[in-house]
Amino acid sequence: MALDGIRMPDGCYADGTWELKMHVTDLNRDVFLRVTGEIHIGGVMLKLVEKLDVKKDWSDHALWWEKKKTWLLKTHWTLDKYGIQADARLLFTPQHKLLRLQLPNIKHMMVKVNFSDRVFKAVSDICKTFNIRHPEELSLLRKPRDPKKKKKKLEEAEEDDLELEGPLFTPGSGSIYSSPGLYSKTMTPTYDSRDGSPLSPTSAWFGDSPLSEGNPSILAVSQPISSPDVLVKLYKPQSLLDKAKINQGWLDSSRSLMEQDVKENEVLLLRFKYHSFFDLNPKYDAIRVNQLYEQAKWAILLEEIECTEEEMMMFAALQYHINKLSIVSSDNHMNNSEKEVDEVDAALSDLEITLEGGKTSNSLGDITSIPELADYVKVFKPKKLTLKGYKLYWCTFKDITISCYKSKEEAHGTPAHQMNLRGCEVTPDVNISGQKFNIKLLIPVADGMNEIWLRCDTEKQYAHWMAACRLASKGKTMADSSYNLEVQNILSFLKMQHLNPDPQFIEPITTDINPECLVSPRYLKKYKNKQPGYVRDLISARILEAHQNVAQMSLIEAKMRFIQAWQSLPEFGITHFLAKFQGGKKEELIGITYNRLIRMDAHTGDAIKTWRFSNMKQWNVNWEIKMVGVSKKVDRLTHFYQNMSDAWCFVWSGDCGIRRRAQPVLHLCRSGLQGGPRVHWRLHLPVDTRQGPERVARRGNVL
């Protein structure tokens, strides 16, 4: 037509078409296409490929809208429906791009990830490749930057860190990663019962990478730290505020990598995020257990979580034992018979013995009545300017309530003190060498938290009372099936911290032990005025002494004990974030766990106020104004909740997700009592706002 080439003042042509600018990243070339608003995305890509006239597999390519930061994946949608006009610039780029991934063991692997998938789906694909079950427990974290280091030094340290010895997972041309499908949907993975690694038919999962050759269980092998310089190069948080700043780097699981400004070849950290591990089975999770052990090990060495000196020596002894077994022959120890017996097998064995007229194991015990505890316990209520110490009471623990009496004879009367432990904070305070077995309780009351300390005389008494307190804080009684297991875990944890009374069984100090790589720098600084050789021998002797308590463990058992000991630490499972309340001038610290939200002291880490998700009656989300409204459940068991309307509103303002400049804001509003004044708080909370404060609101379910 004669009007085809005539261009109007608005940039459109007389026939209704207009030029769309597109950039092909593979060719580094700009292309202009004559299109109309009625053409669909699939048609645009078809016209682009025809105009390029380059023979290549374009099946993995898609269109990316830079200005709106969104993928145009709905190929049946038209340009008008997407709102694309002549001023738009689209990128024609592959969906799968290389990503430098740092695993929990601090080793880097080059993987190809779908940048158009949501982070949750991308992590799921990565975990499937590495044979890690339950990928919902992991997520991606941006690499923290040390503000004390200069930019040039930081880049040099990063380059050196990437050269650490370890498997480099580079997809080849024949790899399964060359196609967008990633995996065959008909492939059913089968696992080796010995170490949990895929059997030979599934070696195709790993393409022609080093993992395809042998053994994907290379990720299940723990590699000792080669030099203390590795610890020096890695960033160590110096305070709780530094830990909170690290957590600003978590990626939004509901958005893609490209939407969050992740670049190709960028370093991201794959970490266990939610500190809640489901069905951790050594028979099938050798890789998962090892990576979990590695994350726990580095968290302790980099002082991301606090522990006592006795606990540090126990962790060092376990590391030393695991390193020895990994070097000698990991397979031999992996194949050792496990002490744990599958529940179904145990039930079948009991049934077989019963039919033969034998005696079954009474592992379930008597479930017709709720167990109780009754013993003399020292109780202390700390107050400012107080000179009073512990006072001895006869205490009974029934259901989730502790009743204190002045003597055993008064146990049938009115108690002097009574404590309901539902929703309380339970913190251990133990010193094995000093024979100190304390339990710190923070019990929620109307005006904050009441602090109560319990002191036990023996390890056995402490284990039973500590287990009962932990269950009671969750609203569970000692009739729960996990009570006996909790008691045994506490006793086992204490036993590993004991010093060996017989020095003749302690092996002599050898050169294969490197204490600088087994303990955190904090404990080495305690001996800074001593001679280096003396310090090395002293710490090595203490590690070898603690090693006698774990020397008989198999490799997988030692890793599981390390993980369990890590979970037993007081600060385990608390993710810190910075918050600023309305009316306050300084940022404050809040902690989020799988079951509660904690307002904390930024200097000491003590809990100021706790809100348990189980006490929330309902919540509502308004994405338009970025608000989550939460109503607290009325607790009839506690008198200060009677006739009380305690409603909370969490309001997010600012951009959703992680941004470099904009920080989401969290507003809290507490309703007054029956027409009373309303108290307002305002928090700046740099977290994943589309999911709420770390999945507080999970798909509309009452928490």
Side-chain angles (χ1 to χ4, degrees), residues 1 71 106 116 200 306 313 315 373 390 406 472 530 610:
M1 295 178 63
W71 286 95
I106 316 296
S116 65
S200 56
E306 299 289 339
M313 295 305 158
F315 285 122
L373 293 176
Y390 285 90
K406 293 183 178 180
K530 304 291 184 180
T610 299

Side-chain angles (χ1 to χ4, degrees), residues 19 36 57 80 145 158 174 198 239 258 320 386 572 634 663:
E19 284 190 344
T36 65
D57 183 8
D80 285 342
R145 302 288 182 179
E158 182 174 297
S239 65
M258 288 278 281
Y320 174 65
T386 182
F572 173 80
V634 177
Q663 287 188 345

Side-chain angles (χ1 to χ4, degrees), residues 486-500:
E486 183 72 23
V487 172
Q488 294 302 320
N489 288 338
I490 295 173
L491 289 173
S492 175
F493 182 59
L494 296 176
K495 183 179 179 181
M496 287 191 296
Q497 300 179 52
H498 283 184
L499 298 179
N500 196 314

Side-chain angles (χ1 to χ4, degrees), residues 453-508:
W453 295 5
L454 305 178
R455 171 168 288 185
C456 301
D457 295 328
T458 63
E459 293 184 10
K460 186 175 181 181
Q461 184 189 32
Y462 167 80
H464 283 85
W465 283 79
M466 186 66 182
C469 289
R470 285 178 176 174
L471 290 178
S473 67
K474 304 173 185 178
K476 300 179 181 179
T477 68
M478 287 174 278
D480 191 85
S481 59
S482 62
Y483 173 70
N484 290 329
L485 180 61
E486 183 72 23
V487 172
Q488 294 302 320
N489 288 338
I490 295 173
L491 289 173
S492 175
F493 182 59
L494 296 176
K495 183 179 179 181
M496 287 191 296
Q497 300 179 52
H498 283 184
L499 298 179
N500 196 314
D502 194 349
Q504 66 178 350
F505 293 105
I506 301 177
E507 59 183 277

Side-chain angles (χ1 to χ4, degrees), residues 614-661:
S614 58
N615 292 334
M616 295 178 183
K617 181 171 59 176
Q618 63 180 8
W619 55 267
N620 300 287
V621 182
N622 190 327
W623 294 116
E624 294 182 359
I625 60 176
K626 304 178 180 69
M627 180 183 73
V628 177
V630 179
S631 299
K632 195 170 182 181
K633 188 185 299 183
V634 177
D635 193 347
R636 298 180 180 177
L637 299 177
T638 0
H639 66 280
F640 52 83
Y641 283 134
Q642 298 261 347
N643 301 321
M644 185 175 184
S645 174
D646 196 1
W648 301 86
C649 295
F650 298 78
V651 184
W652 277 270
S653 63
D655 198 4
C656 283
I658 305 298
R659 292 290 183 267
R660 294 182 179 178
R661 295 182 180 179

Side-chain angles (χ1 to χ4, degrees), residues 18-129:
W18 41 273
E19 284 190 344
L20 177 63
K21 184 178 180 180
M22 307 180 70
H23 179 77
V24 183
T25 57
D26 288 2
L27 306 178
N28 194 21
R29 172 180 165 189
D30 290 332
V31 179
F32 292 88
L33 292 180
R34 292 270 298 272
V35 296
T36 65
E38 297 178 354
I39 187 172
H40 53 77
I41 299 299
V44 173
M45 291 192 293
L46 181 60
K47 292 183 64 175
L48 175 62
V49 171
E50 291 175 349
K51 188 171 182 177
L52 291 174
D53 194 22
V54 176
K55 292 184 178 180
K56 184 179 179 179
D57 183 8
W58 301 99
S59 60
D60 187 40
H61 286 60
L63 294 178
W64 167 255
W65 191 358
E66 281 186 310
K67 185 178 180 180
K68 297 294 185 180
K69 291 187 176 181
T70 183
W71 286 95
L72 309 180
L73 299 178
K74 298 180 179 179
T75 55
H76 61 284
W77 277 27
T78 63
L79 296 178
D80 285 342
K81 192 168 184 179
Y82 267 116
I84 298 175
Q85 299 178 356
D87 61 343
R89 181 176 183 265
L90 304 182
L91 266 63
F92 190 56
T93 183
Q95 299 177 64
H96 290 82
K97 300 176 184 293
L98 289 176
L99 191 69
R100 193 175 292 272
L101 198 66
Q102 187 192 78
L103 299 180
N105 61 356
I106 316 296
K107 305 301 180 184
H108 291 78
M109 303 186 76
M110 190 72 76
V111 297
K112 218 166 192 180
V113 182
N114 193 334
F115 274 53
S116 65
D117 276 341
R118 295 182 177 183
V119 170
F120 184 87
K121 177 64 168 57
V123 172
S124 179
D125 290 340
I126 292 171
C127 291
K128 185 176 181 181
T129 305

Side-chain angles (χ1 to χ4, degrees), residues 274-445:
Y274 297 106
H275 298 96
S276 181
F277 317 118
F278 176 74
D279 189 25
L280 196 61
N281 193 330
K283 294 182 179 180
Y284 310 109
D285 292 323
I287 296 176
R288 181 174 167 222
V289 167
N290 184 65
Q291 295 302 318
L292 193 53
Y293 155 73
E294 291 286 347
Q295 180 168 331
K297 179 184 74 175
W298 286 104
I300 291 169
L301 293 178
L302 297 178
E303 301 172 3
E304 296 176 4
I305 187 169
E306 299 289 339
C307 64
T308 65
E309 187 171 357
E310 291 176 338
E311 292 167 344
M312 177 59 69
M313 295 305 158
M314 176 200 64
F315 285 122
L318 283 170
Q319 287 183 65
Y320 174 65
H321 185 64
I322 291 171
N323 292 342
K324 286 181 59 178
L325 297 185
S326 299
I327 294 174
V328 175
S329 176
S330 61
D331 291 337
N332 292 340
H333 292 276
M334 277 182 171
N335 297 336
N336 284 346
S337 59
E338 302 294 336
K339 294 182 179 180
E340 298 180 2
V341 180
D342 187 76
E343 294 180 359
V344 176
D345 294 340
L348 291 174
S349 299
D350 283 347
L351 178 60
E352 182 180 358
I353 295 173
T354 304
L355 295 176
E356 294 177 356
K359 184 178 180 181
T360 62
S361 60
N362 192 17
S363 59
L364 294 177
D366 183 13
I367 59 175
T368 59
S369 61
I370 298 178
E372 299 177 1
L373 293 176
D375 205 345
Y376 279 104
V377 178
K378 296 178 182 178
V379 182
F380 173 57
K381 186 175 183 181
K383 293 182 180 180
K384 294 182 179 179
L385 303 178
T386 182
L387 298 177
K388 296 182 179 180
Y390 285 90
K391 189 174 181 180
L392 191 64
Y393 286 95
W394 176 261
C395 298
T396 61
F397 203 132
K398 297 181 180 180
D399 294 330
I400 58 174
T401 303
I402 296 179
S403 301
C404 302
Y405 303 90
K406 293 183 178 180
S407 64
K408 183 177 181 180
E409 290 72 20
E410 299 180 8
H412 298 289
T414 303
H417 304 286
Q418 197 167 35
M419 299 168 283
N420 188 303
L421 302 190
R422 183 188 296 272
C424 74
E425 293 293 319
V426 184
T427 306
D429 182 16
V430 178
N431 188 324
I432 299 295
S433 59
Q435 289 296 299
K436 183 177 74 172
F437 306 101
N438 292 349
I439 303 172
K440 294 183 179 180
L441 302 175
L442 285 175
I443 304 173
V445 293

